[in-house]
Amino acid sequence: MERGGEMPDELRHIRKCWMFLINLIYPNVCPCCGSPISWRQYLCDTCIAAITVPAETFCAGCGKPLETCLCGNDLAYDHALVVTSYEEIARKGVISLKAAESLQFGWYCGEVLGKRVLADARLRTYDCIVPVPMARRKKWKRCCNPAEVIAKELASVTRIPMWTDLLLDSGRGAVQHTLTAKQRRENVSHFSARQKDLKGYRILLCDDVLTTGSTLNRCAALLRACGAETVTVAVAASTRLRNSSDITSKNITIKMDDMHKEPISTERKRK
């Protein structure tokens, strides 16, 4: 199993040293507002305060704001962890991450999610963390996969291994944020999974933004088809649905063509 892995302590120190040295040439700024911040910080205190919301703001089942809960739509995932609402300041942070202008918003959200996982006796015993995949060509063009940035930081905090090759993206889908809700629901067939036995596995599925839930639902269904016992999604931000037509599709069919037969070890031991 290919692992993005947990970040060893020495690598965390290397990152801090790198941030210190880069700060000497390019002073560190908050990715959400552009204000100067210490080289040790990911976001400024003002933006942290602005994006910090009670966990109860979001449904623990689907991850959407309580007033637009999706739990009646037979979701393929079981639970959801959300850092903040996709509004104003958080939106700027997500955009900076997607554009690879700064990874700091992703690091911050991964750290927050990691602390929440460690605080939950059930979640901290999960078997692996899986980021929503991104096609190699698209990842090369963007310079990073935002979901993987968040997932790697989450793995670093929790010491739960990150596996980056369970799910695949063919790259044939359109960019989600350019589509309507209906088109988003139909634009997920380019995600597939390697055919493997995940029976009994409890998985944290990571992404940057939860909108209609179409992408996460598809990926969770693929993991379920491999035998995963529980799938909990962990995202940086969740949007507010504009109307009832934005709700994700109830019907998810996984075909054998969606499963790739490639033998990969599924060792569950952590480092």
Side-chain angles (χ1 to χ4, degrees):
M1 183 74 64
E2 181 183 340
R3 302 181 180 213
E6 318 93 274
M7 184 186 296
D9 290 338
E10 57 268 24
L11 291 186
R12 293 180 68 86
H13 294 321
I14 290 174
R15 178 199 285 176
K16 289 296 185 181
C17 290
W18 173 79
M19 289 177 68
F20 172 76
L21 293 174
I22 289 295
N23 185 69
L24 297 176
I25 304 172
Y26 302 104
N28 194 21
V29 298
C30 175
C32 298
C33 69
S35 299
I37 55 176
S38 165
W39 65 269
R40 297 175 179 272
Q41 292 180 279
Y42 295 148
L43 310 180
C44 71
D45 293 339
T46 301
C47 287
I48 289 176
I51 68 173
T52 300
V53 296
E56 298 76 21
T57 303
F58 307 99
C59 173
C62 66
K64 299 301 294 182
L66 294 177
E67 64 271 21
T68 54
C69 176
L70 297 178
C71 287
N73 290 275
D74 300 327
L75 299 175
Y77 56 89
D78 303 278
H79 313 286
L81 298 174
V82 181
V83 175
T84 189
S85 295
Y86 186 69
E87 297 175 350
E88 300 181 9
I89 293 174
R91 184 184 296 112
K92 293 178 181 178
V94 169
I95 291 173
S96 73
L97 174 60
K98 285 182 177 293
E101 294 173 354
S102 171
L103 304 185
Q104 292 175 194
F105 187 78
W107 293 341
Y108 173 79
C109 291
E111 188 175 272
V112 171
L113 290 168
K115 290 177 180 178
R116 290 187 185 176
V117 168
L118 291 178
D120 188 306
R122 173 179 52 87
L123 292 174
R124 64 172 176 256
T125 60
Y126 269 41
D127 299 293
C128 63
I129 297 167
V130 177
V132 168
M134 177 179 284
R136 184 173 300 178
R137 175 179 54 82
K138 186 176 179 181
K139 185 176 178 180
W140 179 83
K141 185 177 180 180
R142 284 195 175 188
C143 299
C144 76
N145 174 1
E148 192 172 321
V149 172
I150 296 167
K152 190 166 187 176
E153 191 67 17
L154 174 56
S156 170
V157 174
T158 61
R159 300 298 182 182
I160 298 173
M162 180 179 77
W163 291 344
T164 57
D165 63 346
L166 282 176
L167 298 174
L168 304 170
D169 177 6
S170 68
R172 291 192 291 268
V175 179
Q176 286 284 65
H177 70 77
T178 65
L179 307 178
T180 65
K182 180 180 179 181
Q183 290 171 329
R184 284 172 183 259
R185 294 194 294 269
E186 299 169 349
N187 187 51
V188 292
S189 60
H190 55 98
F191 292 113
S192 59
R194 298 187 189 276
Q195 190 172 4
K196 61 175 49 323
D197 182 11
L198 294 177
K199 185 177 180 180
Y201 275 66
R202 295 160 300 165
I203 298 174
L204 283 164
L205 177 63
C206 232
D207 204 1
D208 54 351
V209 180
L210 169 59
T211 305
T212 64
S214 300
T215 297
L216 287 164
N217 218 28
R218 167 71 174 181
C219 291
L222 289 165
L223 295 172
R224 289 283 201 181
C226 291
E229 176 183 309
T230 305
V231 178
T232 294
V233 302
V235 299
S238 180
T239 67
R240 296 183 182 278
L241 297 179
R242 289 182 291 276
N243 54 59
S244 59
S245 66
D246 288 353
I247 295 176
T248 191
S249 174
K250 293 182 180 182
N251 301 315
I252 304 174
T253 303
I254 302 301
K255 305 174 183 178
M256 288 306 296
D257 290 344
D258 297 328
M259 315 304 287
H260 295 256
K261 297 180 179 179
E262 296 187 25
I264 299 178
S265 169
T266 52
E267 179 189 359
R268 298 174 68 174
K269 294 182 180 180
R270 302 182 191 171
K271 294 180 181 180

